[in-house]
Amino acid sequence: LPKCCVPLKSISVQVRVQDHVATVCSTLQYVNEEERPLEALFVFPLPADAAVCHFSAKIGEQEIVAEVQDRESARDQYDDAVSSGQQAFLLEESAESPDVFRLSVGGLSAGQNAAVTIIYVTELAVQADHSLRFCLPAVLNPRYTPAGCGAVPYTLTLSVHVSSPKPISKLESNCSLDLVFLHSDRTQATVDLSPGHMFDKDFELFVFYQDTHQPSAIVEAGVTTAPPGSLMRDPVVMMSLYPEFPEEVMSSLASGGEFIFLIDRSGSMGSMMHHEKGAQMRIESAKDTLLLLLKSLPMGCYFNIYGFGSRFESFFPLSVEYNQDTMDQALKKVKEMQADMGGTEILQPLKHIYNLRYHPDHPRQLFVFTDGEVGNTKEVLDLVKSHAHSHRCFSFGIGEGASAALITGMAREGSGHAQFITDTDRMQPKVMQSLRFALQPAVVNISVDWTLPDGVTVDTLSPPINVVCLSAYKMHKSKCKVTINPSFCPFPACFCRLSVHRLAAWTLIRSLEQEERSGAADVEGIRSRMVELSVQAGVSSVHTAFIAVNKDSRQTVKGPLKQRRVPTRGYQWPLMHRCLDGCQCKVNVPQCNIFVKECASEMFFSLFIFPLCLMFVCMCSAAPEPQKDPLLQLVSLQKASGCWDLDATLADVGKTKDELTNQKPAQVDGSVWATLLALIWLYGCKIEQQVEWQFVAMKAASWIGSQKVGDLSQCVCVGNVLLGCQVTKETLGI
């Protein structure tokens, strides 16, 4: 292995969160420790909805600010500069996925230092618990250190400043933080990453505001030097709405629907959810989640389950009606599921699903689970968008390697909701939150009315609103002061540094990209408009790139450049390992260890991989039987109709069959008694996990309500004594 490391020494990140918008400034310190000139190429992820709006490089005391140019022109200029011995930097977006960027650092002399600064703006996504999620991908930090490099050489400092007209109720993170509230009204706060963070996982920050459902807006003045009539010259408003609907609407659940569960069964799903003791494999957690989902579906709906990898297969040729027989068949197949289907190819199963006839009276709800990324993200998102009229898509990113562009994009284009399950998160609560959304009636025909002063006109820049949680951009073609209908909401206004303009430009560029890919007639005109917007607003696009050349350097770089290429996640290869008992097992490593290829002047090696386990479990020997979860054990016994049988398997959850039978009131049927006890146990012993079993309990209560039961209150009292609980009949929802 080469005894030289990528010349990145430190990362400093400053984040400013203003209401629903985050501006992120990352500075990366490089040093060439080799004895010859160096060219380094990094391929790394950024948040899926990030509008990169600044790129600069500082060498010594000299700072070079990059310009946005047509992509091919920027590449030619970079190649010419490096070939002539000048220092140059090139930042460009991947053509396949909007959250993957490529940074070329060319012409670093031996021993030379360089600081590269990247600034991007992104809109924060609303989570199921009403928080706003900010994620900093673990970029440019090796998941494995080559021999000879010693300890990981990178350090990370991170500071986040949060401000909003709404008070901040709390801030949460998956990492250790130092938190300070700056004002007594809690409208501003600063958090710093605690010392010692290794940056071996994505950094997540969740911002909780008070008055979550109160609409808000950011009003931003334009640039007077921009061309007249351009986006950057006119004022822009970004309005964020998260409507609150009446409780009777939110509590009503659909009795029908077609539920399709698309499960990633690629080799990486066989890895652990996290590295703590007792962690499950991802595929096992997915199987437990499917159990809860299948038990929670309403009678009379339709459902099917697909597994995908390099190929795909379904449990049933077509979606089947949900009843006891079909549920039992599906559960049997779920138990047999393994992470044995190769790579991650999601496009073909999606095409197959969308080509199937859907039931007009049973709206289709698609649940997608994956832990990886794909090379054709934009093609996948275009496909989902083209079928947005016939379904809602709920997507789940599992682990650190899931593509944010794929997960958030599928939910956005499919009018659904995205969830990320990382670190020590349990999959089941988040999935059941999304199931509640899927079971609620769809909100359609959404419109926003603007009341504006005379002489002010607006252009809508964002796509048509088709989801409940939304943001809308409006561009004002007037210098008049903007007022919004005060009877609707007194929006607070604030002015910042063109963040909203750049988000608006990025939104327009993405819309034009979709037009281009859809086969529009005027492709050249669309591309020209995208380049014009990108250059004018200074934001990235697939047809432009940031280019910076140090033309003032007094010395040129002499000698052939040594290249360092550092790809990101995604490469998989089999590893043969000889077990202690002499047999051989093939282990699918989710990320490659070290991939080395030498040729005349280049050397490739990967540092973006998960830790390589030093101990392998022999796949030929029987693994110890995992301890059964009492909650899942109880749920697994429920019938499709919502009831339980009074038998020995139910008693195994915590009591003997004789104890359950002997205490049964004489006038009560055995199934009613068993179902009542199950409900009492859920509310009395597992209330902290209610989000997971809420639909199981609703079905059970509904089933009991349909039966002829005598003194139900007395039955609840007897059940409480037997199980040691104190639950009322009203609490049970009967």
Side-chain angles (χ1 to χ4, degrees):
L1 297 177
K3 293 187 177 181
C4 48
C5 297
V6 178
L8 174 63
K9 286 297 182 182
S10 66
I11 307 173
S12 175
V13 181
Q14 293 182 329
V15 183
R16 183 176 182 85
V17 175
Q18 188 172 28
D19 206 17
H20 285 64
V21 178
T23 303
V24 184
C25 178
S26 298
T27 300
L28 302 90
Q29 295 282 348
Y30 294 90
V31 61
N32 182 6
E33 297 179 336
E34 301 186 24
E35 298 177 356
R36 60 190 298 182
L38 178 71
E39 179 184 17
L41 172 62
F42 289 89
V43 181
F44 58 90
L46 286 179
D49 297 329
V52 178
C53 56
H54 175 90
F55 175 53
S56 62
K58 188 174 183 180
I59 301 174
E61 296 301 317
Q62 184 176 12
E63 184 176 16
I64 314 129
V65 178
E67 298 177 351
V68 179
Q69 296 184 8
D70 177 85
R71 188 181 189 125
E72 295 306 318
S73 299
R75 286 178 174 177
D76 290 342
Q77 187 176 342
Y78 174 82
D79 291 339
D80 290 344
V82 173
S83 299
S84 63
Q86 292 179 307
Q87 295 160 335
F89 302 82
L90 181 70
L91 182 69
E92 51 189 328
E93 179 184 316
S94 165
E96 289 76 29
S97 181
D99 68 341
V100 177
F101 281 75
R102 165 177 161 148
L103 170 62
S104 301
V105 181
L108 284 182
S109 301
Q112 193 168 45
N113 291 274
V116 171
T117 298
I118 300 171
I119 299 177
Y120 62 84
V121 184
T122 185
E123 184 180 350
L124 302 184
V126 180
Q127 304 301 293
D129 59 2
H130 311 312
S131 67
L132 298 177
R133 177 180 182 262
F134 169 74
C135 177
L136 181 70
V139 302
L140 304 179
N141 185 68
R143 304 293 178 88
Y144 176 89
T145 305
C149 282
V152 175
Y154 313 101
T155 61
L156 170 71
T157 58
L158 184 144
S159 178
V160 183
H161 181 88
V162 183
S163 62
S164 173
K166 306 171 186 175
I168 304 162
S169 56
K170 62 178 176 177
L171 296 168
E172 294 181 350
S173 176
N174 63 334
C175 303
S176 179
L177 299 175
D178 298 324
L179 169 63
V180 176
F181 281 102
L182 303 180
H183 290 173
S184 58
D185 60 3
R186 297 173 73 95
T187 57
Q188 294 192 47
T190 295
V191 293
D192 295 307
L193 196 60
S194 299
H197 179 66
M198 293 300 296
F199 203 25
D200 56 352
K201 59 185 176 183
D202 293 352
F203 168 80
E204 292 181 297
L205 179 69
F206 298 92
V207 182
F208 294 81
Y209 291 131
Q210 293 180 23
D211 304 321
T212 304
H213 298 288
Q214 184 79 4
S216 63
I218 297 177
V219 183
E220 192 172 81
V223 180
T224 56
T225 55
S230 66
L231 167 64
M232 300 306 290
R233 186 176 181 117
D234 292 323
V236 172
V237 169
M238 175 183 172
M239 184 181 70
S240 298
L241 294 177
Y242 187 32
E244 184 175 21
F245 294 94
E247 178 59 32
E248 58 269 20
V249 174
M250 299 303 290
S251 60
S252 63
L253 300 177
S255 58
E258 179 191 18
F259 298 87
I260 298 179
F261 306 109
L262 183 57
I263 311 296
D264 188 342
R265 287 177 54 185
S266 62
S268 57
M269 285 290 287
S271 59
M272 295 296 180
M273 290 287 292
H274 52 87
H275 300 291
E276 295 186 4
K277 185 178 179 181
Q280 275 187 309
M281 287 193 299
R282 293 172 181 174
I283 190 64
E284 294 301 323
S285 183
K287 289 161 70 172
D288 287 347
T289 302
L290 282 173
L291 166 65
L292 275 174
L293 284 168
L294 287 172
K295 295 293 183 175
S296 300
L297 294 180
M299 290 290 286
C301 73
Y302 287 78
F303 78 100
N304 204 349
I305 299 174
Y306 286 77
F308 75 94
S310 300
R311 56 186 177 86
F312 69 91
E313 61 184 34
S314 62
F315 283 13
F316 307 101
L318 296 171
S319 295
V320 296
E321 186 174 354
Y322 178 77
N323 53 44
Q324 187 63 44
D325 182 53
T326 55
M327 185 191 74
D328 287 342
Q329 292 181 53
L331 287 173
K332 183 178 179 181
K333 293 176 182 289
V334 166
K335 291 180 181 179
E336 299 169 353
M337 285 174 51
Q338 299 295 329
D340 56 1
M341 297 184 74
T344 306
E345 299 178 22
I346 196 172
L347 186 63
Q348 292 308 313
L350 281 176
K351 285 183 176 179
H352 174 81
I353 290 169
Y354 290 143
N355 285 334
L356 297 175
R357 182 181 62 86
Y358 64 91
H359 304 267
D361 297 332
H362 294 273
R364 179 172 288 170
Q365 317 288 343
L366 177 63
F367 285 64
V368 180
F369 301 79
T370 181
D371 71 341
E373 60 183 26
V374 296
N376 54 352
T377 300
K378 292 182 179 179
E379 190 176 358
V380 171
L381 300 187
D382 287 344
L383 178 66
V384 175
K385 183 179 179 65
S386 67
H387 291 84
H389 65 283
S390 63
H391 83 302
R392 283 191 289 185
C393 182
F394 299 86
S395 52
F396 304 89
I398 305 169
E400 304 294 343
S403 166
L406 180 68
I407 301 304
T408 59
M410 291 185 71
R412 181 182 63 249
E413 303 299 354
S415 301
H417 191 79
Q419 299 263 28
F420 289 89
I421 302 157
T422 60
D423 199 18
T424 56
D425 288 343
R426 294 184 70 247
M427 190 182 299
Q428 292 84 358
K430 293 195 172 185
V431 174
M432 300 312 288
Q433 286 173 339
S434 291
L435 179 61
R436 170 168 282 280
F437 295 153
L439 288 170
Q440 287 169 352
V443 179
V444 296
N445 297 324
I446 299 173
S447 63
V448 177
D449 294 326
W450 296 74
T451 300
L452 302 165
D454 293 338
V456 177
T457 60
V458 297
D459 287 337
T460 302
L461 303 184
S462 55
I465 299 167
N466 56 6
V467 292
V468 172
C469 181
L470 55 101
S471 291
Y473 297 96
K474 292 282 183 177
M475 180 171 69
H476 299 270
K477 291 198 161 182
S478 170
K479 292 184 179 179
C480 300
K481 181 180 178 181
V482 177
T483 59
I484 302 174
N485 184 2
S487 64
F488 179 56
C489 171
F491 290 120
C494 55
F495 292 85
C496 48
R497 298 180 180 178
L498 299 178
S499 297
V500 180
H501 278 78
R502 285 164 175 154
L503 276 177
W506 183 88
T507 300
L508 276 178
I509 289 170
R510 293 304 178 212
S511 297
L512 290 169
E513 270 189 42
Q514 289 183 336
E515 282 188 49
E516 181 186 31
R517 293 195 302 271
S518 66
D522 186 17
V523 174
E524 287 301 319
I526 292 174
R527 176 174 175 173
S528 176
R529 174 63 175 148
M530 289 169 60
V531 172
E532 179 186 6
L533 265 173
S534 179
V535 172
Q536 187 185 99
V539 298
S540 58
S541 78
V542 71
H543 293 307
T544 55
F546 285 88
I547 175 69
V549 178
N550 185 6
K551 298 178 180 179
D552 299 328
S553 178
R554 296 183 179 180
Q555 63 179 38
T556 58
V557 178
K558 299 179 181 180
L561 293 181
K562 194 171 186 179
Q563 292 189 334
R564 290 285 176 267
R565 297 180 183 268
V566 187
T568 186
R569 309 155 174 155
Y571 182 82
Q572 296 186 11
W573 65 343
L575 175 70
M576 294 301 296
H577 173 72
R578 184 174 297 277
C579 301
L580 295 178
D581 60 1
C583 66
Q584 285 192 333
C585 301
K586 180 178 288 188
V587 182
N588 285 322
V589 181
Q591 309 290 337
C592 63
N593 173 9
I594 285 291
F595 175 51
V596 180
K597 177 183 178 183
E598 295 191 25
C599 52
S601 62
E602 294 186 337
M603 188 173 294
F604 301 81
F605 62 100
S606 171
L607 293 180
F608 284 86
I609 52 345
F610 288 112
L612 179 64
C613 293
L614 299 180
M615 295 188 68
F616 293 87
V617 177
C618 177
M619 297 172 69
C620 304
S621 58
E625 183 72 20
Q627 189 173 3
K628 293 182 179 180
D629 182 340
L631 173 60
L632 292 177
Q633 189 178 358
L634 177 70
V635 169
S636 69
L637 300 174
Q638 189 186 35
K639 302 296 183 182
S641 62
C643 71
W644 276 266
D645 288 337
L646 186 61
D647 56 24
T649 53
L650 178 66
D652 287 342
V653 176
K655 295 287 182 180
T656 67
K657 183 180 179 181
D658 287 343
E659 287 179 300
L660 300 184
T661 304
N662 293 340
Q663 296 296 322
K664 182 180 75 69
Q667 75 278 15
V668 177
D669 175 78
S671 293
V672 172
W673 177 237
T675 305
L676 191 61
L677 289 177
L679 271 179
I680 293 173
W681 185 83
L682 289 172
Y683 280 98
C685 302
K686 292 293 179 179
I687 191 64
E688 73 282 356
Q689 292 178 250
Q690 185 176 6
V691 69
E692 299 181 41
W693 50 259
Q694 55 183 313
F695 303 113
V696 166
M698 290 172 66
K699 287 173 67 174
S702 177
W703 182 86
I704 291 177
S706 67
Q707 307 300 305
K708 293 182 179 180
V709 183
D711 190 351
L712 192 56
S713 297
Q714 179 61 29
C715 294
V716 172
C717 290
V718 176
N720 276 324
V721 172
L722 177 61
L723 299 178
C725 300
Q726 295 180 341
V727 179
T728 65
K729 185 182 77 170
E730 291 70 27
T731 299
L732 300 179
I734 304 172

